[in-house]
Amino acid sequence: MNSGLKHWKEAATLILAAGRADRLSSPHRFDYHVLLLKRSPKSGFMPNAYVFPGGMADSSDFSSEWLDIFKAFSSSPNFGLRNVQQPPETRPPIFATDRLKLGSPIPGEVAFRICALRETFEESGVLLFVSKDEEMSLLKSLEDRRTTDEVKHYKMNQVCSSELSKWRTLVNQNPSNFITMCRELELLPNIWALHEWANWLTPVGQYGVTRFDTAFFMCCLEETPHALQDHKEIECSQWSTPSDILRSYQARELWMAPPQFYELSRMCRFPLLSDLQSFARRRSTDGCEQWLPVVILQEDGYILVLPGDQLYPSNSSEATTVDMTVGRDGSETALHRFLISDRYSNRLQVNITPKYNHLVPLVGPFDSDTKNHNATIITK
């Protein structure tokens, strides 16, 4: 972790999609659910918000002790993760930072996956891992990937519930216990199941003093695991389809921040889990763009512009709020923005071509996913 950052706390989030048990007989358009957690009203960051599991990186995520846990993968760069083709000079700093210079032998691509898996375990009780018994099979699949470009997809493994509960309590007490758990239970955090998806930065003054530089990962599971709240920062958990979550948001039944809204809108392009998994795996080696939303104040709300929008400033690294009057009729040439009048009124305008072979989101309104999805895209 980079303690020298001026504005940001580094963090990682996991978008966890899992196949529905009734997917063969259900009339629902989506054959998978997404895990959302409701933050406690006492939380210091985005209280009452529905979020993907995740949280701030801990020094233990970068501990050299992981070298022993992943010893069998020491000869493979980044512990066997596939190489990202994005040029180093355009990589988001959260991934491009030389961690050796900060005193850690653990690459950022590995450490932030560990962080996402640890936080998911802490907040939801879902533990994604590969057992030592599967280690040789995984090593073989990594070798085979040189020709197939695929890694075997592992289901979520099960651990005795009482054992899992004990370790979850210990990890919540001290994140470094995640290393101890992996060592004693002889398991590996399943970093290979996580695909690089996005990188969002918190705008100034939106959700409190703390601002996060967050790596978003995508993971697809064949079966839906059981999730539990942590009774601390998380009030409840739920599995729902992307379109139903967005419909609930627009019905003011739940609240989420723009990054969650945006990424769920992207996922609406994939009703089938197999298609989402295939796209996420294939696209992840292209890299991603760092997005710092910029707030443009309006009399009746504000516009949140993203990179690529005509109004996005050439240098957004410091000031992230601009007081100016702009039209809301979508007449600008390049559009990549939210129009926001209140916390439940996110409306996306997107007509840019995403970088790194990523997706533009579907734009609502979102009907229940048992009906026709009434979504549109603004085009030039």
Side-chain angles (χ1 to χ4, degrees):
M1 58 190 297
N2 189 352
S3 59
L5 292 175
K6 181 178 179 181
H7 297 301
W8 318 105
K9 301 290 186 182
E10 292 179 317
T13 282
L14 182 58
I15 306 174
L16 191 58
R20 302 165 56 114
D22 62 346
R23 58 184 176 272
L24 296 180
S25 58
S26 172
H28 288 266
R29 199 168 62 91
F30 286 84
D31 70 353
Y32 64 91
H33 283 153
V34 181
L35 177 61
L36 279 188
L37 308 176
K38 184 182 180 183
R39 297 185 66 84
S40 165
K42 299 179 181 179
S43 176
F45 183 75
M46 293 200 300
N48 294 310
Y50 279 77
V51 298
F52 305 123
M56 192 166 62
D58 185 79
S59 59
S60 64
D61 300 325
F62 292 85
S63 171
S64 60
E65 293 183 58
W66 287 112
L67 295 176
D68 183 56
I69 302 293
F70 289 94
K71 186 176 181 179
F73 302 85
S74 59
S75 62
S76 301
N78 286 355
F79 300 172
L81 294 174
R82 292 183 299 161
N83 293 326
V84 176
Q85 304 304 312
Q86 183 179 5
E89 60 272 16
T90 65
R91 288 286 279 157
I94 197 169
F95 295 122
T97 298
D98 187 343
R99 301 292 163 171
L100 276 174
K101 292 183 178 179
L102 298 177
S104 171
I106 309 302
E109 287 91 342
V110 173
F112 288 109
R113 282 173 169 82
I114 292 173
C115 172
L117 293 167
R118 174 182 56 76
E119 285 284 344
T120 297
F121 178 51
E122 289 181 25
E123 293 184 333
S124 71
V126 175
L127 179 61
L128 307 178
F129 69 91
V130 177
S131 70
K132 281 288 186 178
D133 293 339
E134 297 172 307
E135 190 174 70
M136 297 312 297
S137 176
L138 177 57
L139 280 168
K140 180 64 166 60
S141 70
L142 292 176
E143 294 173 358
D144 294 343
R145 190 191 63 199
R146 295 170 185 169
T147 56
T148 65
D149 197 37
E150 290 189 27
V151 174
K152 178 182 176 182
H153 176 70
Y154 288 93
K155 296 182 181 180
M156 195 203 74
N157 294 272
Q158 301 296 322
V159 178
C160 171
S161 59
S162 60
E163 188 79 1
L164 201 65
S165 178
K166 179 192 78 173
W167 280 108
R168 186 184 178 198
T169 299
L170 291 171
V171 174
N172 266 295
Q173 291 172 352
N174 188 336
S176 66
N177 283 326
F178 194 57
I179 302 174
T180 307
M181 180 193 73
C182 290
R183 182 183 296 113
E184 293 195 11
L185 297 184
E186 296 188 325
L187 56 85
L188 304 169
N190 196 347
I191 61 174
W192 306 277
L194 274 59
H195 304 296
E196 184 177 317
W197 185 261
N199 176 209
W200 288 83
L201 279 70
T202 310
V204 65
Q206 291 295 296
Y207 310 110
V209 176
T210 305
R211 298 166 67 189
F212 292 97
D213 182 352
T214 305
F216 280 65
F217 298 100
M218 176 70 69
C219 178
C220 298
L221 300 175
E222 295 177 3
E223 300 173 356
T224 302
H226 184 59
L228 298 169
Q229 60 270 25
D230 67 356
H231 303 295
K232 291 173 56 182
E233 293 189 13
I234 303 304
E235 189 172 271
C236 64
S237 61
Q238 73 173 55
W239 292 92
S240 300
T241 66
S243 62
D244 271 353
I245 295 169
L246 293 168
R247 179 194 55 77
S248 293
Y249 169 81
Q250 292 177 331
R252 299 175 177 259
E253 297 168 358
L254 59 82
W255 178 75
M256 70 182 76
Q260 282 74 22
F261 184 96
Y262 193 102
E263 300 306 348
L264 287 164
S265 298
R266 274 177 165 170
M267 295 175 73
C268 281
R269 289 193 167 275
F270 295 107
L272 300 182
L273 182 67
S274 59
D275 291 340
L276 175 63
Q277 164 76 5
S278 178
F279 173 81
R281 178 191 56 78
R282 184 179 65 252
R283 195 221 62 82
S284 64
T285 57
D286 293 321
C288 68
E289 187 177 14
Q290 183 188 71
W291 284 359
L292 172 58
V294 172
V295 179
I296 298 179
L297 302 177
Q298 297 281 282
E299 290 184 0
D300 56 348
Y302 61 93
I303 298 176
L304 202 65
V305 294
L306 299 170
D309 192 283
Q310 182 182 12
L311 298 177
Y312 198 81
S314 58
N315 184 0
S316 62
S317 61
E318 294 293 336
T320 56
T321 302
V322 180
D323 190 358
M324 59 188 296
T325 301
V326 296
R328 301 175 66 128
D329 59 359
S331 60
E332 288 79 3
T333 302
L335 299 172
H336 193 199
R337 63 182 64 173
F338 287 90
L339 305 182
I340 302 174
S341 58
D342 64 52
R343 57 195 275 123
Y344 293 97
S345 68
N346 283 347
R347 185 160 69 88
L348 277 167
Q349 290 185 330
V350 185
N351 67 3
I352 65 165
T353 300
K355 293 183 178 180
Y356 309 112
N357 292 313
H358 224 315
L359 295 167
V360 294
L362 282 176
V363 179
F366 297 91
D367 295 330
S368 171
D369 66 19
T370 58
K371 304 174 182 177
N372 292 327
H373 191 152
N374 185 25
T376 58
I377 292 289
I378 296 176
T379 57
K380 294 181 181 179

